[in-house]
Amino acid sequence: MFLAVALSFNLLAVQTPTQTPTQDDTKKAQNQDEPKGLTPKQKEKQRKALQKELDKPFEQWLKQDVVYIITDEERQSWKRLNTAEEREQFIEQFWLRRDPTPDTPENEFKEEHYRRIAYSNEHFASGIPGWKTDRGKIYIMNGPPDEIEAHPSGGSYQRPQEEGGGTTSTYPFEKWRYRYIEGVGQEIIIEFVDTTMSGEYHMTMDPSEKDALLYVPNAGLTDLEAMGLASKTDRFNRTDGTHLGTTMGGTPASMGEFERLEQFAKLQKPPAVKFKDLDAIVESKVTYNMMPFQTRTDFIKITNDTVLAAVTVQLSNKDLTFQNKEGLQHAAANIFGRVSTMTRRVAQTFEDVVTVDVPAELLPNTLERKNVYWQALPLRPGRYRLNLVVKDIQSGNMGTLEKAIIIPSFDDETLATSSLILSDSISKVSTKDIGKGQFVIGSTKVRPSVNETFKKSDHMGIYMQVYNMEPDEKTHRPSATIEYHLSKFGAPPDAKAVFEASEKTEDMPGGSAQQMTLEKVLPLESLPAGKYTLRVKVTDNIANKTIAPTASFTVQ
C-alpha cells in the first residue's frame, strides 16, 4: 500500500555571515581582468600584490585587533598557517577559547574586548590612535582600573612619604590602581606620565619621572633635602633605576627595584586565557562502553540553508538496571548529546531521560525489547562532531560515543533526496500533532530502525523525501517515476530482484516539484531470512535526471 503526502516547511533561512577571502577568491580575482602580454616576472609581482591585499584583513586582526591578548604560542601557531581557511578556523578557535559561555551565541569576552578598543580610541588618543598608547594597552588587556588618580594639568604636587615627601611641580600624570590582576598580583599601581605635554602618556617604572623640577637645583626638594639631611644630587646616584629622594621611613617592598621590574614585565604579557578550550583541557577522553547503545543520524531538508538532523538512540532493556518502585520495576537512563563544529564550537545540545516501568511479572518479556529515543536538530550544512553520553541512573554504568557527521547541502537546482529511512513503525499523526513530538516529520510519525534488523512478522516502513524535480509547464506538477528494487545484499545491480514495484508522481496525491514525500509499507513475511538491499530509483522524466539512494537491512 502506498501513501504519499507533501510536507511543507515555512521556516526562515539563517542569514549567511560575511566571509573573509578564501584561496578560491584569490584565484578568481587573479584570473579576472588580468592584463595580457605581461612577463612572468610582472605576473608574479602582480600576484604577490593581490595576495598582499587579500591578506590585509588577517594582518590587521593579528597586528591590531588582538596584538595585546594573543599568546606567544598562538602567535607561533598563526605563523604556520598557509591558507585563508586555516586562518578563519584559527580566529574562530581563538575567540572560543576565551568565551565564558560557549553554549550561547554571544561571546562576552569578544564583545568586551572590542568595547575596550573603542573606549581607548575615544579617550586615550593623542598623535596616535588610543589603542596604540600605553594607557590603551593596559585598558584593553586588563579593563578599567578600580581607581584613577588623574593630574591632567600637572602643577603643584605633594609627594607621598614613600617618594620622599615635600612639594614639587609635575608633568601631567595618572596613577591607575587595580585591586587584582590575574598573573600580576594584588594592589597593582601603574603610573603614566606625559613628559612632552602633548597628551601622549607613557607607562613608567620611575615615580620621579613626573617631577618637572627634578633637574632644577634646589627646587622641588623632599622633606629630608629641605631639612639639610640629604642632598638632591643623591637622587642621581641611585642604582635602582629611579631618581627618588631619600625617604624617612624607608622604601616599601612594592617599590623595590626587582618588584617594579617584575611588575613591568608581567604587565607586558597577554592576559591568561581564563576559560577552558572547549573541553580540550578538562574533559576526559576516556571512552566508556559499560552501557552499550546504538545510534543513527538521518537528514531531511528544511530550507536551502537549514537541515533537520534526526539523531536516533537505541537502548536494550536488558542493559538497564531495574529496581522495584511502588510495585513496578523501574529503570531510567540519562541521555546527553552535543553537536559541535570541527573547531569545537557548540552548535546544539540536548539531554533527556528514558524511563521504563513494567509490572514485575512482565519483566522477563520486557528485557528483550528496545527503547528508542529521537532528537531533531536544525543545523546548517557542514561537517560536525556528535558526542553522545548514555548513563544508567541505577547502576551508574555509562556509554559514550563520538563521531563525525556531515550535514548535506540542498540547493534549488540539483535533484536530491533526504535520507532513505527504514522504520519499524510509520503512521500519520493527528492535525494537532503535526510537526510535534518524538519521531514526527511533518504529518508522519517515522520511527527509524537503528540497526535495520526486522522480523519476518514485521511491516517495514519506507520514508524518503525527493527535492527539486522539474515541474511541467502546464500543470506545474512533477512527472517522475519511482521504482522500488529489492535484492539480496551484495548482488550486482542487474541481478534478479526479490521484489519490485513502481509508481508515477502523476498518480500520487499532494506534493510538488520542489518536494515530494514517499511513504511505503512493505510486509516482510514472504522474505527468507537474510540481508537485503533496497534501492529507490527516482527518474525525473522532464529534466531527464536520476537519483537512486539505497539502504540495507536484515530479516531474521
Side-chain angles (χ1 to χ4, degrees):
M1 171 174 70
F2 286 88
L3 305 173
V5 295
L7 305 181
S8 64
F9 296 92
N10 188 20
L11 298 181
L12 295 177
V14 178
Q15 184 177 0
T16 304
T18 304
Q19 298 292 326
T20 49
T22 64
Q23 277 190 323
D24 290 340
D25 297 330
T26 305
K27 293 179 181 177
K28 289 178 182 177
Q30 289 172 341
N31 293 332
Q32 290 177 354
D33 302 326
E34 183 180 280
K36 300 186 182 299
L38 295 178
T39 65
K41 186 175 181 179
Q42 289 173 322
K43 289 181 179 179
E44 179 63 17
K45 183 178 180 181
Q46 186 183 63
R47 185 194 67 78
K48 288 182 177 180
L50 178 59
Q51 186 63 52
K52 184 177 180 180
E53 187 69 24
L54 292 173
D55 285 343
K56 273 186 178 179
F58 295 118
E59 291 302 310
Q60 178 177 331
W61 181 83
L62 180 67
K63 295 180 179 180
Q64 296 184 23
D65 292 28
V66 299
V67 63
Y68 301 137
I69 64 173
I70 189 169
T71 65
D72 292 339
E73 295 80 4
E74 288 172 325
R75 194 181 296 275
Q76 292 302 317
S77 298
W78 175 272
K79 291 179 180 179
R80 292 193 289 267
L81 304 179
N82 298 315
T83 67
E85 289 82 0
E86 289 176 346
R87 294 188 182 104
E88 288 170 359
Q89 274 200 351
F90 179 96
I91 292 172
E92 180 184 7
Q93 180 69 19
F94 177 90
W95 293 120
L96 288 177
R97 294 186 66 229
R98 292 158 171 80
D99 188 356
T101 56
D103 291 342
T104 63
E106 296 80 15
N107 187 325
E108 294 83 357
F109 181 94
K110 182 179 179 181
E111 292 173 2
E112 171 64 12
H113 177 72
Y114 282 104
R115 185 201 66 78
R116 293 179 184 180
I117 292 177
Y119 183 92
S120 299
N121 288 335
E122 183 177 353
H123 292 84
F124 305 139
S126 52
I128 57 177
W131 69 269
K132 284 188 174 183
T133 66
D134 284 357
R135 287 187 298 172
K137 177 180 180 179
I138 295 299
Y139 187 91
I140 291 170
M141 292 171 64
N142 304 294
D146 296 298
E147 293 180 11
I148 295 180
E149 179 188 334
H151 300 264
S153 302
S156 180
Y157 174 66
Q158 180 65 40
R159 293 190 193 90
Q161 284 302 315
E162 58 267 23
E163 294 181 14
T167 302
T168 188
S169 183
T170 67
Y171 298 111
F173 74 96
E174 290 184 0
K175 282 186 179 181
W176 288 14
R177 173 179 170 265
Y178 288 90
R179 292 191 182 93
Y180 175 74
I181 298 177
E182 185 174 355
V184 181
Q186 295 179 334
E187 292 300 319
I188 304 301
I189 305 296
I190 306 171
E191 197 162 295
F192 303 93
V193 183
D194 178 16
T195 55
T196 61
M197 308 287 285
S198 63
E200 185 176 336
Y201 291 72
H202 66 270
M203 185 166 60
T204 179
M205 289 191 297
D206 181 3
S208 67
E209 190 173 355
K210 62 180 174 289
D211 190 345
L213 303 179
L214 178 63
Y215 296 98
V216 179
N218 298 317
L221 300 178
T222 65
D223 288 341
L224 290 179
E225 291 168 352
M227 290 186 290
L229 300 177
S231 171
K232 189 172 185 179
T233 57
D234 294 339
R235 302 192 203 178
F236 302 98
N237 297 323
R238 294 176 68 114
T239 59
D240 61 357
T242 74
H243 293 148
L244 290 172
T246 306
T247 63
M248 291 185 180
T251 304
S254 60
M255 292 184 63
E257 176 183 2
F258 296 107
E259 286 74 11
R260 287 184 291 105
L261 284 171
E262 182 182 20
Q263 175 179 301
F264 190 87
K266 287 181 176 179
L267 287 171
Q268 307 306 312
K269 294 181 179 179
V273 180
K274 298 181 181 179
F275 308 104
K276 63 179 182 178
D277 189 5
L278 288 184
D279 309 326
I281 298 175
V282 301
E283 187 175 79
S284 172
K285 294 301 180 184
V286 177
T287 300
Y288 298 92
N289 293 310
M290 297 177 66
M291 180 64 206
F293 63 92
Q294 295 174 296
T295 183
R296 65 173 285 156
T297 309
D298 298 296
F299 308 106
I300 298 99
K301 176 183 177 181
I302 299 179
T303 70
N304 289 355
D305 203 45
T306 306
V307 176
L308 191 72
V311 179
T312 309
V313 179
Q314 179 174 282
L315 308 172
S316 295
N317 285 348
K318 64 181 181 180
D319 296 319
L320 298 172
T321 301
F322 286 84
Q323 289 186 354
N324 184 55
K325 185 178 181 180
E326 298 179 354
L328 293 175
Q329 291 296 310
H330 173 79
N334 286 336
I335 296 178
F336 174 81
R338 181 183 61 206
V339 177
S340 55
T341 65
M342 300 312 289
T343 57
R344 295 195 178 273
R345 169 71 174 179
V346 177
Q348 293 278 357
T349 61
F350 59 91
E351 54 185 329
D352 214 332
V353 181
V354 176
T355 60
V356 182
D357 292 290
V358 295
E361 61 271 16
L362 298 180
L363 182 59
N365 295 332
T366 305
L367 293 179
E368 298 303 319
R369 297 179 184 174
K370 310 287 186 183
N371 272 286
V372 184
Y373 172 82
W374 191 80
Q375 184 69 42
L377 306 170
L379 294 168
R380 297 186 63 203
R383 185 181 293 271
Y384 295 84
R385 179 184 288 105
L386 171 65
N387 290 88
L388 285 169
V389 180
V390 179
K391 181 179 181 180
D392 184 358
I393 296 178
Q394 311 289 2
S395 66
N397 290 341
M398 186 181 299
T400 62
L401 171 72
E402 178 174 338
K403 71 174 183 178
I405 56 174
I406 301 175
I407 308 298
S409 177
F410 297 103
D411 56 41
D412 284 331
E413 306 297 330
T414 306
L415 181 65
T417 71
S418 69
S419 298
L420 175 54
I421 303 175
L422 304 183
S423 68
D424 54 25
S425 175
I426 184 170
S427 60
K428 292 296 182 183
V429 298
S430 61
T431 304
K432 65 181 180 65
D433 292 326
I434 290 178
K436 298 187 299 182
Q438 290 267 299
F439 313 112
V440 177
I441 305 173
S443 61
T444 307
K445 185 174 183 178
V446 184
R447 189 173 70 184
S449 175
V450 176
N451 55 9
E452 296 180 323
T453 299
F454 302 87
K455 296 179 181 179
K456 290 174 65 67
S457 58
D458 290 339
H459 286 65
M460 183 178 73
I462 302 168
Y463 183 93
M464 187 177 76
Q465 293 181 1
V466 184
Y467 313 115
N468 306 325
M469 290 181 284
E470 191 75 23
D472 182 88
E473 292 183 357
K474 295 181 179 179
T475 65
H476 303 292
R477 290 268 299 167
S479 176
T481 303
I482 316 296
E483 300 174 76
Y484 302 86
H485 185 279
L486 186 64
S487 61
K488 280 284 189 179
F489 180 78
D494 56 352
K496 185 178 179 180
V498 175
F499 167 83
E500 284 184 316
S502 66
E503 59 182 342
K504 295 184 178 297
T505 53
E506 292 88 339
D507 302 327
M508 300 168 60
S512 66
Q514 286 73 37
Q515 181 172 303
M516 179 74 72
T517 298
L518 309 179
E519 298 176 8
K520 184 178 177 66
V521 176
L522 179 65
L524 303 176
E525 56 187 8
S526 61
L527 293 179
K531 192 169 184 179
Y532 297 87
T533 297
L534 172 67
R535 182 176 56 148
V536 181
K537 182 179 179 181
V538 180
T539 303
D540 186 341
N541 300 320
I542 298 177
N544 195 27
K545 295 179 181 178
T546 299
I547 190 169
T550 62
S552 298
F553 65 96
T554 301
V555 177
Q556 294 179 338

